[in-house]
């Protein structure tokens, strides 16, 4: 038996299946529920299902019922069973695999609304910050400008921000990079070798999944539910994977927006430690705390061995292309060594600009927060009015709503039809580690309220065309290699 294969517990499987009371034979209802869970990515392809015997208790059905349901799944391509490996969830040939190639904002024609990117325009004050930074530049011009660790004032401002959040940090622990994705690249080079097992959340930020794959990592999905982490299941996944690293987005997770509570952080930190797995924590979105609430400690406050990755793209502006890595005590040197094989430092001027901006507002400005809340409200209200059968939660923070489409409405088909209506949006499978999630759609809300309302009108028209069979089927039109999803 492959001990490291991801598994799903019988208890969680029963929760996913839900109530089986139905007019159909029970085994059929069970097979349908499991098929939907696999197709949706709630049981990711490659996950070993509980044994037939183990499932009978939590489901309250006979072994024959489970056996017949598993037979149906095997016949329809959703399950393979091999001696020694148990029964493993699969996606039938022809099912949408993980989407590639989102949509590239630069290609947008006039009048098209682009919601492929969960990032905002620059806040007020950026030009003034550039002016002040230019005034400080001469002090750096007598040096070569290769600041492999980063501009000292910025490193100190970043360290101060961690201290403010309750995590003792010195500027010596901080490495400035050209954004969080570049920071992840440094961490991947420093930490991983081809073939290493890496746990990654499912769904997750697509560029993270791509970067890990490109590094030759063997990915083990850790499922994030629409409302957050099933911590018992996550602990099981971490134990089964015994991975080299686990990449987590606990602060307004992209795409669900979920915020991991402290108690869950502490439990997962403990399990990561006992399994020898290094936590790699992407905190790019932590400052987009729109509603506020009880403060949550940085993950590294629970896991001193964690490597944290940060970014100014969401808190200030993506055009600064500035982010950072916070290393565990004494580990910065190995990160700097890994960094120089990719680049020799981030631009000095942009680092000075960010230091200026952080001095005035370390996170989101009040004005930006008000704008984002208004856009989110417009999006939620328009969805309720125009697409009432689309379900979503409004998370405390983040830049998107993670929407569940009604059964039968494919996210891929919908996004393809939306493009014809002048709306660009990334389909659910783009966020999957392996495949599935075609009943999910990420709707970012970075644009003004009136634009968000219009976007939903276009989406509703697209949904109407898909439902009435007037739209071209999605999968054939959707692959756009080479057009990356940005944020
Ligand atoms: C989780 C996550 N990480 C990284 C990024 C990109 O960060 P950067 O612009 O700093 O490279 C994003 C942008 O959406 C993100 O959501």
């Amino acid at each position: 038996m492959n001990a490291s294969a991801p598994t799903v517990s019988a208890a969680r499987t029963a929760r996913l299946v839900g109530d089986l009371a139905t007019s159909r034979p029970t085994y059929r209802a069970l097979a349908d529920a499991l098929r939907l869970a696999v197709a949706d990515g709630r049981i990711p392809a490659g996950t070993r299902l509980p044994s037939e015997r183990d499932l009978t208790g939590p489901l309250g059905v006979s072994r024959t019922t489970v056996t017949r349901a598993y037979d149906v799944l095997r016949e329809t391509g959703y399950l393979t069973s091999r001696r020694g490996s148990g029964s493993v969830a699969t996606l039938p040939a022809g099912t949408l695999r993980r989407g590639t190639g989102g949509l590239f904002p630069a290609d947008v024609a006039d009048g098209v609304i682009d919601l492929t990117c969960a990032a905002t325009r620059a806040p007020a004050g950026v030009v003034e910050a550039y002016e002040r930074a230019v005034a400080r530049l001469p002090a750096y011009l007598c040096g070569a400008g290769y600041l492999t660790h980063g501009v000292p004032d910025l490193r100190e401002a970043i360290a101060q921000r961690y201290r403010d959040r309750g995590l003792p940090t010195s500027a010596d622990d901080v490495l400035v990079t050209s954004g969080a994705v570049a920071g992840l690249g440094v961490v991947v080079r420093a930490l991983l070798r081809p073939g290493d097992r890496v746990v990654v959340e499912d769904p997750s930020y697509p560029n993270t999944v791509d970067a890990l794959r490109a590094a030759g990592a063997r990915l083990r999905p850790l499922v994030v539910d629409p409302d957050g982490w099933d911590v018992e299941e996550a602990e099981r996944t971490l134990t089964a994977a015994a991975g080299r690293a686990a990449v987590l987005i606990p602060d307004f997770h992209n795409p669900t927006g979920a915020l991991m509570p402290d108690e869950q952080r502490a439990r997962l930190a403990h399990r990561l430690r006992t399994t020898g797995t290094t936590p790699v924590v992407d905190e790019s979105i932590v400052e987009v705390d729109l509603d506020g609430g009880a403060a949550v400690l940085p993950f590294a406050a629970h896991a001193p061995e964690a490597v944290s990755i940060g970014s100014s793209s969401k808190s200030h502006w993506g055009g600064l292309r500035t982010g950072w890595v916070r290393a565990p005590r004494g580990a910065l040197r190995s990160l700097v060594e890994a960094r120089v094989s990719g680049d020799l430092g981030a631009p000095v001027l942009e680092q000075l600009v960010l230091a200026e901006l952080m001095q005035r507002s370390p996170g989101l400005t009040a004005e930006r927060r008000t704008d984002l809340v208004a856009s989110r409200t417009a999006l939620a209200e328009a969805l309720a009015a125009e697409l009432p059968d689309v379900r979503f939660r409004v998370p405390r923070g983040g830049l998107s709503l993670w929407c569940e489409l009604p059964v039968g409405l494919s996210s891929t088909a919908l996004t393809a039809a939306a493009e014809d209506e002048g709306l660009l949006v990334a389909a659910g499978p783009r966020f999957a580690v392996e495949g599935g999630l075609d009943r999910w759609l990420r709707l970012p809300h970075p644009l003004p309220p009136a634009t968000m309302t219009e976007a939903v009108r276009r989406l509703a028209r697209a949904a109407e065309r898909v439902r009435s069979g007037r739209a071209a089927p999605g999968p054939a039109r959707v692959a756009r290699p080479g057009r990356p999803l940005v944020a």
Side-chain angles (χ1 to χ4, degrees), residues 29 76 82 84 111 115 120 159 175 194 198 215 271 273 283 289 318 348 358 425 434 443 479:
T76 48
R82 251 181 255 120
L115 289 185
T120 61
L175 171 68
V198 177
R271 187 57 60 99
R273 196 169 314 121
E283 299 181 309
D289 185 358
V348 173
M358 284 183 78
V425 61
E434 296 292 344
L443 287 177

Side-chain angles (χ1 to χ4, degrees), residues 7-166:
T7 61
V8 56
S9 69
R12 178 169 167 86
T13 308
R15 280 200 299 281
L16 290 174
V17 164
D19 188 3
L20 284 173
T22 157
S23 53
R24 284 166 298 166
T26 312
Y27 81 90
R28 270 271 158 212
L30 175 57
D32 286 351
L34 288 172
R35 190 172 44 75
L36 203 59
V38 174
D40 267 4
R42 286 171 295 156
I43 298 179
T47 302
R48 183 150 29 89
L49 263 54
S51 73
E52 294 163 20
R53 183 164 42 92
D54 287 351
L55 212 46
T56 54
L59 281 175
V61 298
S62 73
R63 181 140 178 203
T64 317
T65 299
V66 183
T67 304
R68 292 185 73 184
Y70 276 19
D71 284 345
V72 172
L73 293 174
R74 266 188 292 271
E75 281 156 22
T76 48
Y78 284 92
L79 199 67
T80 44
S81 303
R82 251 181 255 120
R83 193 184 295 275
S85 304
S87 296
V88 175
T90 50
L91 288 167
T95 314
L96 276 181
R97 299 282 150 175
R98 172 170 192 266
T100 54
L103 300 153
F104 188 56
D107 290 353
V108 169
D110 274 358
V112 171
I113 301 175
D114 184 3
L115 289 185
T116 57
C117 190
T120 61
R121 65 189 159 77
V126 168
V127 170
E128 294 76 5
Y130 264 93
E131 283 164 0
R132 292 193 301 276
V134 167
R136 288 175 59 190
L137 195 57
Y140 291 85
L141 296 180
C142 51
Y146 288 72
L147 297 172
T148 47
H149 294 64
V151 165
D153 284 1
L154 177 60
R155 295 174 76 202
E156 176 50 31
I158 293 165
Q160 180 62 49
R161 187 72 191 120
Y162 278 110
R163 293 196 293 270
D164 293 344
R165 291 173 56 211

Side-chain angles (χ1 to χ4, degrees), residues 115 379 383 399-403 425 441-445 456 459:
L115 289 185
L379 172 61
L383 281 170
L399 282 147
S400 315
L401 300 182
W402 182 234
C403 299
V425 61
L441 182 68
R442 185 190 74 163
L443 287 177
H445 51 81
V456 175
L459 193 66

Side-chain angles (χ1 to χ4, degrees), residues 10 28 33-34 129 160 174 176 178 210 264 273 291 372 389 416 453:
R28 270 271 158 212
L34 288 172
Q160 180 62 49
V174 175
V176 180
S178 297
D210 289 346
Q264 293 192 357
R273 196 169 314 121
D291 300 333
L372 283 171
D389 52 2
T453 306

